[in-house]
Amino acid sequence: MTVIILIAAPEGLRGHLTRWMVEVNAGVFVGNPSRRIRERLWELLTNRIGDGQAVLVEPAANEQGWAVRTAGRDRWRPVD
């Protein structure tokens, strides 16, 4: 499962994500895209997020089973 959270995102990004994922709350998208689609979505988000923020939670081969990516202005960085 993949979760994407958008904060103050430019117009059009939320609509684009609804092609691949379900918006369960404003700016919160959940889905199960393939790795290739997930990488392309992340590339699109990082290029178009502007002054907004994007957080991606994706499956990973670690103890928790997931990893986090962040992009955008004033982004936070997860610390282990």
Side-chain angles (χ1 to χ4, degrees), residues 54-71:
V55 178
L56 171 75
V57 181
E58 62 185 331
N62 59 26
E63 291 178 6
Q64 293 83 15
W66 52 273
V68 177
R69 295 191 220 180
T70 61

Side-chain angles (χ1 to χ4, degrees), residues 34-73:
S34 68
R35 182 177 180 180
R36 187 184 73 139
I37 297 297
R38 187 170 60 244
E39 292 298 327
R40 289 189 178 192
L41 286 173
W42 187 246
E43 182 180 341
L44 173 85
L45 287 173
T46 57
N47 290 335
R48 294 184 51 198
I49 197 63
D51 288 336
Q53 295 175 322
V55 178
L56 171 75
V57 181
E58 62 185 331
N62 59 26
E63 291 178 6
Q64 293 83 15
W66 52 273
V68 177
R69 295 191 220 180
T70 61
R73 187 173 178 186

Side-chain angles (χ1 to χ4, degrees), residues 12-45:
L13 280 183
R14 286 174 57 183
H16 185 78
L17 282 178
T18 59
R19 296 177 188 171
W20 304 100
M21 305 176 85
V22 175
E23 189 171 16
V24 296
N25 202 351
V28 179
F29 298 85
V30 177
N32 198 19
S34 68
R35 182 177 180 180
R36 187 184 73 139
I37 297 297
R38 187 170 60 244
E39 292 298 327
R40 289 189 178 192
L41 286 173
W42 187 246
E43 182 180 341
L44 173 85
L45 287 173

